[in-house]
Amino acid sequence: MFLINCPFCGEREQSEFKAGGEAHIVRPKQPTELSDDEWAEYLFMRKNIKGIQFERWNHVHGCRKWFNMVRDTSNDQIKAVYKMGEKPPVK
Amino acid sequence: MLNNLRFKTSKFIDETYRVSFKFNNKTYFGFKGDTLASALLANGIHLVGRSFKYHRPRGIMTSGSEEPNAIIQLHNNSSRTEPNVRATEVEIYEGLVASSQNCWPSVNFDIGGINNLLSPILPAGFYYKTFMWPASFWEKYEYFIRKSAGLGKSPKVADPDIYEHKYIHCDVLVIGAGISGIMAAKMAAKNGFKTLLVDEKSYLGGSSIYDNSEFSKINNQITSSWLEKEINEISKLENLEIKTRTSVAAFHGYNFLLARENITDHLPINQRENKVRQRLLKIRAKKVITATGSIERPLIFDNNDRPGILLSSAIKKYIDLYGVACGENNILFTNNDTAYETAMSLIQRGIKINAIVDNREQIDSKISYEVEKNNIKIYKGYTVVDTYGYRRINKISIMKLSKDGQTVIGDKTNLNCDCLGVSGGWTPAVHLFTQSGGKLKFREEDQVFIPNVYPSDQISIGSCNGDFGLEEIIKNTLSSIKKFLDIDNSEYKTVETISGLNQSKRNIWLLPSNKSIGKTKSFVDYQNDATAKDIKLALREGFRSIEHVKRYTTTGMGTDQGKLGNMHALGIISETAGTKMGEHGTTTFRPPYTPLTFGTIVGRNVGEFFDIFRRTPVHDWHVANNAKFENVGQWKRAWYYPKDNENMHLAVQRESKAARDSAGILDASTLGKIDIQGTDASEFLNRVYTNAWSKLAVGKCRYGLMLNEDGMVYDDGVTTRLGENHYIMTTTTGGAANVLGKLEDYLQTEWPELDVYLSSVTDHYATISVCGPNSKKIVSKVIPDLDLSDEKFPHMSFKNAKIDNIKCRVMRISFTGEHSYEINIQANFGKSVWEKCMEAGKDFNITPYGTETMHLLRAEKGFIIVGQDTDATLTPIDLQMDWIVSKKKYDFIGKRSLYRSDTIREDRKQLVGLLTENPKEVLEEGAQIVADIKKSPIEMLGHVTSSYYSPNLKKSIALGVVKGGKNMLGQKLIIPMENKNINVTVADPVFLDKEGERLNAKL
């Protein structure tokens, strides 16, 4: 079970958090101008990487804040956590 | 016999404290400090169980948690019964009742033993191969297979014991209190680390604590004496917490571990009252030191499973720790030096050793010379080829090994014995290390897997790290702990060791025999009766992966997870397949390391604490008035209120009629309520609901439908504009938390520029809904100051009011289609306001109604329930709710998805009303809807989502989803049921008062 360093609260048990899928997917500003394929790309397509993955997490049983995490899915090492809107601190 | 087998020696046994216990209905005696296994052995009992498949007699084989055979049922037929308990781990207490498993009528004579004779036709995969056809017969086979399979019996009544969970946070966790664990704990604690030391045994010190041999010394003291002083010293350390009888079950990522602490299992039953039996420790450690030791390997030869065959180290422990001799005429069979330590322990007490069979040609250690000096015959370069004796071993045959160890040569020699100790060397207990994600490497010299790559801040020390010699253990423990904890002071000045053993070993995974492999039973997994022959068969049949061989032969799949024989299985596979050991890897070790009771896993979360109950502020009134309850999420909602002998149908019919004829009252407190404030609140609602909100006036209410980004209906509810920048949103009862989560998600991640704040206020308010033609009269009595005239307080509007000086919010909104009011008041006044409404409504036959009536009333009006009539595949268009989807708004969540090629299909499932040909016939919710029953296969058009008998319409009504249903109005369809076909007609989903006359009637 992970120990997650919430950027607002500090280290907490994983059971306080909820994973929210891939990070840095921006909702299109003008959805009506997108083709079906372009909209489907935003709506359905997500990466499933073995290795470094950028994810959204929510401290749902804590401060309720969403934040981003860089995690190596091959060994579950959390490389970094950072606030929404910030650039990832690692590549 | 007791006198011949019990030796007065041990400080671990209290010979003044006699304990009586029952085994298979017979009373025996042991002493305090005995395990069930040691007490049985002291009574001359080896045969304790029958094997899983062949029902072969099996005896006690080990002295610890790795035991595969001596698994017994405790307290059969009582509420405290527990199956599959290892006799080697049960400490005896007054009143203990144990019995053998997997045998009938008794362990001495077991009818299932016939399987042993049938074994030539019961090869690996027998069940898979035999019971495959005819497929329809499986149900018949299954009954008999299940009856004859299984080990213990599960309890039939509730467990009376108390269990609990506890969190522990520490700097350093040390697992295992053997010699290296004790040293590590002392170094950690003395250097200021908050340390926890756990061990599964009842005592500290591991196997060294009873090592009284002259052949292993530390600082010129006998090992056990040196260790006792160490234990005495650490027990006084403030920084160190020590827990015995505590077995680590799981080692998860990020140094999160689960351990079971056994608190009362060793106490007499009458001393356990009101005490917690077992505790699940949830340990989060900054650093973990694993010192779990190693497990002695058996040797794989023909008939290596008879009662009386034990691990050599177990024989040593029984005599040294418990003062119990396992036999009076012993033979030891070994491939390494440790069996000679056992020999010395037996020699010291004058117990006869008939011979030692050692498969090494050359033996060169001080301890072996000492054994030879005692006139013990050592057969060098020999192997055991067979054993004899049904319920207890009585003879073995040995033969000379060829130089390469692949065959046997010369003549057979028979030797008598009543106990055979075997030692195949040691396997590091790396189970916890690999559970944590650690990667192993294979060490060729002595054929062991040892820790290689650590996934977290942890280290393995001692023999679980592959250090087997005393000198190595101590030297490496000191240096690795210093480095691991980054400390200068090891607390140990000099530690000098003397050991009479050397580490030579002749490893042969499957010992050769004079018989062909097909004629032998060389057990690799004792508990599941998997033999070397089975493994070779699996390889012949094409299985290559160790994981596949494991599942096909069931090797390592018993409750012991193959702690003894897994390595041999790997060895035999690589020898047969001609591959290298290291390449195969091991099978996966999964938690728990030893079985956990269900009680430990659930802790206090039983009965009413199994899940949270959420009760509304009016709950007690519902209980007092005979309500039946329904679970909605975690809420207990009043379902219906039966009067006299009413069943649910009658109660609901009465309640529904009363609500339309005069007045009904509903506790709607469970609806989710989200307080929304901020200058961008209107814009926010515009984006999350399908309809427009900017023009909603202060004091007005509006129904909203919320979609997912894929266009499917997610939630609905009425939102009220309380002020310019202040709204209160209601959500479905079950959806409240998810809706808040979703709104927060968009607000924080997509639209952080919006000035909007969300707060859940579900629990803060009680919501009481009064409906029906007399609702206005009732509410005006409860809140006389409020002007309820239609001009001042029209449908879909809101007023602040006061009841007895307590502020409340009153909304005129309706989920029943009747004129109705919702009073929202601070939760703690909910019950008294409810009672006020009941009092005020007395003259109008005000009738409390529950969720079932609410569902019926709204179905009459064709109002959907999200989650009942919808299932995340329906758009608002599918629900015929086009009217609520704004055409003008540029964007809202899900808008773009409403005109994807898939969502604009005409033949999507769409919500329709259904009327049965026979108005008395009520459809079953979930029933399939078809058009043509003659077509094969029948095409399923949809299903019934809601169905009721309407007392107001005096007919059956239903809602359902049907492919292309929108254009099928008036069409006949069929609901095929088990014993009849029901004819229905597609109808408008609004069955009652489509024009809203009741809603807007002048009252």
Side-chain angles (χ1 to χ4, degrees):
Chain A
M1 195 160 68
F2 304 167
L3 203 55
I4 298 173
N5 191 15
C6 170
F8 304 93
C9 308
E11 274 192 347
R12 296 288 190 278
E13 295 279 334
Q14 186 186 342
S15 55
E16 293 185 16
F17 297 84
K18 193 176 99 174
E22 192 182 337
H24 303 297
I25 294 175
V26 181
R27 188 175 187 274
K29 284 274 176 285
Q30 291 159 326
T32 45
E33 278 155 41
L34 299 182
S35 69
D36 268 12
D37 284 351
E38 286 165 332
W39 180 245
E41 184 66 32
Y42 158 72
L43 198 56
F44 301 122
M45 298 306 173
R46 297 293 182 271
K47 293 191 195 96
N48 185 16
I49 298 163
K50 182 178 181 184
I52 297 292
Q53 183 159 287
F54 297 86
E55 303 174 330
R56 288 154 25 97
W57 283 75
N58 185 6
H59 195 184
V60 63
H61 298 296
C63 63
R64 273 172 42 198
K65 283 283 194 185
W66 284 89
F67 60 93
N68 293 317
M69 179 191 288
V70 188
R71 183 171 67 100
D72 187 334
T73 58
S74 68
N75 58 15
D76 277 344
Q77 293 298 317
I78 297 170
K79 301 288 179 195
V81 289
Y82 53 104
K83 291 178 185 170
M84 279 292 157
E86 288 179 357
K87 287 227 158 58
V90 288
K91 287 218 166 155
Chain B
M1 202 164 196
L2 185 65
N3 294 336
N4 297 342
L5 294 172
R6 180 71 81 167
F7 290 77
K8 188 177 165 65
T9 47
S10 171
K11 43 189 174 262
F12 296 94
I13 294 291
D14 182 354
E15 280 140 27
T16 62
Y17 192 134
R18 223 163 71 127
V19 177
S20 75
F21 65 97
K22 274 191 174 167
F23 179 66
N24 287 340
N25 296 321
K26 229 178 129 186
T27 301
Y28 298 94
F29 294 96
F31 296 119
K32 193 178 176 201
D34 264 327
T35 61
L36 180 57
S38 70
L40 287 171
L41 290 169
N43 283 282
I45 295 170
H46 277 260
L47 169 58
V48 291
R50 291 277 177 160
S51 69
F52 189 62
K53 184 168 156 190
Y54 302 128
H55 291 248
R56 284 168 68 103
R58 289 285 164 80
I60 296 156
M61 180 137 198
T62 72
S63 56
S65 56
E66 66 274 26
E67 178 62 38
N69 289 340
I71 55 177
I72 47 102
Q73 182 102 22
L74 283 182
H75 301 284
N76 200 6
N77 296 325
S78 99
S79 60
R80 287 203 162 84
T81 194
E82 195 177 340
N84 304 343
V85 179
R86 291 155 302 284
T88 50
E89 288 198 301
V90 177
E91 297 172 58
I92 60 165
Y93 48 85
E94 198 60 43
L96 172 72
V97 179
S99 44
S100 298
Q101 301 182 156
N102 202 34
C103 55
W104 184 85
S106 80
V107 71
N108 285 307
F109 176 75
D110 173 21
I111 281 184
I114 197 160
N115 281 6
N116 191 30
L117 304 175
L118 296 176
S119 65
I121 60 161
L122 288 173
F126 171 73
Y127 291 98
Y128 300 131
K129 287 168 182 165
T130 311
F131 298 110
M132 289 296 289
W133 53 83
S136 59
F137 264 52
W138 169 248
E139 281 176 29
K140 294 186 179 66
Y141 293 138
E142 191 188 15
Y143 174 79
F144 289 101
I145 294 171
R146 292 218 184 278
K147 209 173 143 96
S148 62
L151 293 167
K153 291 189 199 122
S154 50
K156 297 214 165 55
V157 286
D159 186 343
D161 283 317
I162 309 167
Y163 302 81
E164 68 180 20
H165 292 176
K166 184 184 177 185
Y167 282 91
I168 296 182
H169 297 264
C170 58
D171 295 329
V172 177
L173 169 69
V174 184
I175 311 165
I179 203 158
S180 48
I182 297 277
M183 291 173 74
K186 175 170 150 184
M187 289 161 75
K190 282 210 160 184
N191 278 283
F193 293 92
K194 190 184 161 209
T195 306
L196 174 66
L197 172 66
V198 299
D199 195 283
E200 62 179 6
K201 302 282 190 315
S202 58
Y203 53 87
L204 298 176
S207 58
S208 305
I209 199 67
Y210 50 87
D211 194 354
N212 305 319
S213 153
E214 290 288 331
F215 290 92
S216 84
K217 286 187 167 179
I218 302 173
N219 288 347
N220 222 15
Q221 301 166 55
I222 287 180
T223 302
S224 60
S225 317
W226 181 84
L227 196 53
E228 266 170 38
K229 280 177 209 145
E230 289 291 308
I231 291 169
N232 191 32
E233 189 187 339
I234 65 163
S235 60
K236 291 170 196 150
L237 294 177
E238 272 188 14
N239 256 347
L240 177 66
E241 186 178 5
I242 300 172
K243 284 186 181 291
T244 52
R245 299 187 176 98
T246 300
S247 166
V248 174
F251 190 163
H252 295 296
Y254 289 77
N255 285 350
F256 180 71
L257 299 95
L258 297 174
R260 188 239 309 119
E261 185 181 11
N262 223 328
I263 301 163
T264 62
D265 274 355
H266 60 290
L267 299 175
I269 301 274
N270 60 12
Q271 287 176 32
R272 300 184 189 180
E273 202 109 325
N274 298 324
K275 286 184 188 139
V276 171
R277 180 188 172 204
Q278 293 173 350
R279 189 179 283 147
L280 186 72
L281 306 176
K282 301 179 175 183
I283 306 167
R284 186 71 84 165
K286 293 206 176 88
K287 287 169 172 285
V288 177
I289 298 170
T290 307
T292 44
S294 51
I295 297 170
E296 194 169 27
R297 292 179 187 171
L299 289 163
I300 312 300
F301 52 91
D302 192 16
N303 289 316
N304 59 343
D305 66 326
R306 296 190 191 281
I309 302 179
L310 288 89
L311 295 180
S312 150
S313 60
I315 294 176
K316 176 170 161 46
K317 182 170 168 186
Y318 284 118
I319 192 67
D320 285 348
L321 189 85
Y322 303 103
V324 174
C326 295
E328 293 174 283
N329 183 20
N330 300 278
I331 295 179
L332 298 171
F333 177 30
T334 185
N335 68 3
N336 69 94
D337 267 3
T338 45
Y340 293 86
E341 290 186 303
T342 306
M344 286 313 299
S345 290
L346 295 174
I347 290 165
Q348 272 171 22
R349 289 169 186 81
I351 302 166
K352 186 183 166 193
I353 301 173
N354 194 3
I356 294 180
V357 182
D358 195 322
N359 68 17
R360 296 172 295 178
E361 292 283 349
Q362 303 288 328
I363 308 158
D364 180 26
S365 60
K366 277 190 207 154
I367 194 163
S368 67
Y369 297 134
E370 182 68 22
V371 169
E372 261 181 321
K373 259 194 241 162
N374 283 279
N375 293 322
I376 303 218
K377 169 82 179 157
I378 302 177
Y379 290 89
K380 294 178 187 172
Y382 275 78
T383 180
V384 176
V385 290
D386 204 353
T387 68
Y388 308 88
Y390 187 58
R391 294 189 188 105
R392 171 90 180 255
I393 191 169
N394 57 28
K395 193 170 70 179
I396 64 169
S397 297
I398 63 168
M399 287 177 87
K400 184 96 178 144
L401 277 167
S402 65
K403 261 219 157 66
D404 62 0
Q406 296 300 302
T407 52
V408 282
I409 47 179
D411 294 327
K412 262 204 295 198
T413 307
N414 289 338
L415 298 168
N416 292 327
C417 65
D418 63 357
C419 179
L420 175 69
V422 293
S423 176
W426 295 81
T427 300
V430 294
H431 308 72
L432 294 175
F433 166 77
T434 55
Q435 274 184 25
S436 78
K439 297 278 178 283
L440 299 166
K441 69 176 172 211
F442 189 67
R443 192 166 70 192
E444 287 288 342
E445 309 95 88
D446 56 349
Q447 305 275 300
V448 292
F449 281 103
I450 51 171
N452 188 25
V453 184
Y454 293 99
S456 61
D457 199 356
Q458 56 162 303
I459 195 171
S460 292
I461 53 166
S463 62
C464 74
N465 193 38
D467 295 341
F468 295 116
L470 187 60
E471 190 189 343
E472 250 188 314
I473 289 174
I474 289 183
K475 201 180 77 197
N476 292 347
T477 296
L478 287 175
S479 62
S480 27
I481 296 298
K482 266 173 82 171
K483 204 173 143 205
F484 180 60
L485 298 179
D486 192 19
I487 50 176
D488 296 328
N489 185 1
S490 74
E491 303 301 322
Y492 294 93
K493 284 193 189 94
T494 51
V495 191
E496 300 279 336
T497 56
I498 302 169
S499 173
L501 282 69
N502 76 35
Q503 298 301 317
S504 90
K505 179 165 100 172
R506 186 183 187 188
N507 195 79
I508 304 172
W509 293 116
L510 172 60
L511 290 158
S513 168
N514 55 330
K515 291 185 223 160
S516 73
I517 178 100
K519 297 237 157 66
T520 62
K521 272 209 191 73
S522 311
F523 287 92
V524 176
D525 182 318
Y526 299 85
Q527 197 178 96
N528 273 350
D529 274 351
T531 61
K533 183 172 67 182
D534 293 330
I535 292 173
K536 292 203 167 202
L537 176 68
L539 287 160
R540 265 208 316 281
E541 292 184 355
F543 291 93
R544 284 295 174 271
S545 151
I546 170 70
E547 294 286 358
H548 289 157
V549 174
K550 166 181 166 177
R551 279 156 185 80
Y552 192 56
T553 62
T554 70
T555 303
M557 290 175 70
T559 58
D560 61 336
Q561 289 193 15
K563 292 187 178 75
L564 294 185
N566 264 359
M567 283 300 292
H568 304 81
L570 288 167
I572 292 167
I573 289 169
S574 68
E575 272 174 10
T576 310
T579 51
K580 279 190 148 186
M581 272 291 269
E583 289 168 11
H584 288 281
T586 60
T587 52
T588 314
F589 299 111
R590 291 193 177 84
Y593 178 69
T594 49
L596 289 174
T597 56
F598 282 106
T600 312
I601 295 167
V602 298
R604 297 271 176 161
N605 303 319
V606 290
E608 63 175 314
F609 302 116
F610 179 70
D611 196 10
I612 294 164
F613 290 159
R614 295 177 80 184
R615 297 177 179 86
T616 76
V618 197
H619 186 84
D620 291 347
W621 189 94
H622 303 320
V623 173
N625 286 273
N626 198 29
K628 298 284 177 237
F629 289 89
E630 172 181 40
N631 293 330
V632 183
Q634 289 169 325
W635 287 102
K636 291 274 167 207
R637 290 200 75 174
W639 194 10
Y640 59 98
Y641 302 80
K643 270 188 176 170
D644 306 322
N645 295 321
E646 274 180 346
N647 59 19
M648 175 159 137
H649 173 74
L650 292 174
V652 169
Q653 295 290 306
R654 172 181 52 75
E655 291 170 12
S656 304
K657 194 116 183 39
R660 293 236 188 267
D661 291 350
S662 178
I665 181 167
L666 172 81
D667 180 3
S669 308
T670 62
L671 285 184
K673 304 174 206 63
I674 301 170
D675 190 273
I676 303 173
Q677 300 191 40
T679 51
D680 294 317
S682 303
E683 171 61 17
F684 180 66
L685 289 174
N686 266 336
R687 295 185 190 188
V688 300
Y689 277 131
T690 59
N691 46 350
W693 291 79
S694 311
K695 287 183 186 148
L696 184 71
V698 174
K700 296 287 178 192
C701 317
R702 184 165 285 173
Y703 173 76
L705 203 57
M706 198 182 286
L707 309 185
N708 261 333
E709 203 69 274
D710 61 6
M712 304 304 156
V713 171
Y714 184 69
D715 203 78
D716 69 346
V718 170
T719 295
T720 302
R721 189 166 197 174
L722 301 172
E724 182 58 30
N725 298 320
H726 190 187
Y727 290 83
I728 181 128
M729 172 189 280
T730 58
T731 72
T732 57
T733 296
N738 290 333
V739 170
L740 180 68
K742 179 185 157 96
L743 299 184
E744 278 287 356
D745 187 353
Y746 274 92
L747 210 46
Q748 290 179 32
T749 67
E750 299 293 350
W751 309 318
E753 71 280 4
L754 292 186
D755 174 40
V756 176
Y757 301 89
L758 306 174
S759 262
S760 168
V761 291
T762 304
D763 291 328
H764 302 51
Y765 294 98
T767 304
I768 296 160
S769 170
V770 181
C771 79
N774 286 314
S775 56
K776 186 187 269 187
K777 291 179 195 141
I778 295 167
V779 173
S780 69
K781 277 167 86 177
V782 177
I783 321 174
D785 300 338
L786 189 60
D787 183 352
L788 295 178
S789 66
D790 288 334
E791 298 71 39
K792 286 276 161 58
F793 200 177
H795 182 53
M796 295 309 262
S797 60
F798 134 85
K799 289 268 183 279
N800 280 312
K802 278 187 175 175
I803 301 173
D804 292 343
N805 237 4
I806 307 299
K807 278 193 224 161
C808 64
R809 292 173 183 156
V810 184
M811 281 88 167
R812 191 177 153 194
I813 50 177
S814 173
F815 191 42
T816 59
E818 292 299 319
H819 192 111
S820 83
Y821 300 90
E822 250 183 48
I823 303 168
N824 288 273
I825 192 153
Q826 199 178 307
N828 49 330
F829 298 109
K831 187 164 166 256
S832 67
V833 171
W834 176 279
E835 283 164 343
K836 259 183 198 298
C837 293
M838 288 302 296
E839 180 61 32
K842 232 183 191 171
D843 301 338
F844 306 101
N845 183 33
I846 190 168
T847 301
Y849 65 92
T851 49
E852 194 62 24
T853 293
M854 174 185 84
H855 287 179
L856 193 162
L857 295 172
R858 64 86 208 180
E860 290 176 337
K861 285 289 294 175
F863 293 149
I864 57 155
I865 289 188
V866 173
Q868 175 164 342
D869 300 298
T870 73
D871 62 0
T873 65
L874 295 171
T875 68
I877 320 300
D878 298 335
L879 295 170
Q880 307 215 40
M881 290 174 78
D882 314 45
W883 54 270
I884 202 171
V885 181
S886 165
K887 303 277 182 300
K888 287 184 199 145
K889 282 200 294 183
Y890 181 70
D891 193 14
F892 56 82
I893 296 172
K895 178 175 168 113
R896 174 61 185 82
S897 293
L898 294 179
Y899 53 94
R900 291 178 57 236
S901 58
D902 185 55
T903 44
I904 54 173
R905 279 189 297 115
E906 293 277 308
D907 63 342
R908 290 178 62 82
K909 284 185 184 166
Q910 290 147 355
L911 187 81
V912 293
L914 297 168
L915 290 172
T916 50
E917 205 172 66
N918 171 3
K920 291 243 151 46
E921 181 99 64
V922 180
L923 299 174
E924 261 185 50
E925 288 175 357
Q928 294 288 336
I929 303 170
V930 307
D932 183 357
I933 48 167
K934 292 198 185 86
K935 212 163 125 189
S936 177
I938 305 179
E939 192 193 355
M940 301 297 181
L941 295 180
H943 65 276
V944 178
T945 59
S946 295
S947 172
Y948 308 90
Y949 184 80
S950 159
N952 301 302
L953 297 162
K954 298 200 171 50
K955 64 179 179 189
S956 153
I957 55 166
L959 298 172
V961 289
V962 177
K963 275 185 192 164
K966 251 191 233 183
N967 299 319
M968 293 170 80
L969 207 64
Q971 208 164 311
K972 301 251 187 271
L973 293 173
I974 299 164
I975 315 280
M977 299 303 290
E978 203 171 14
N979 44 17
K980 62 183 167 187
N981 295 317
I982 302 168
N983 295 322
V984 296
T985 310
V986 177
D988 190 307
V990 185
F991 299 101
L992 181 117
D993 188 28
K994 190 161 186 178
E995 293 68 37
E997 281 168 14
R998 304 177 70 93
L999 200 64
N1000 300 312
K1002 299 265 177 229
L1003 300 177

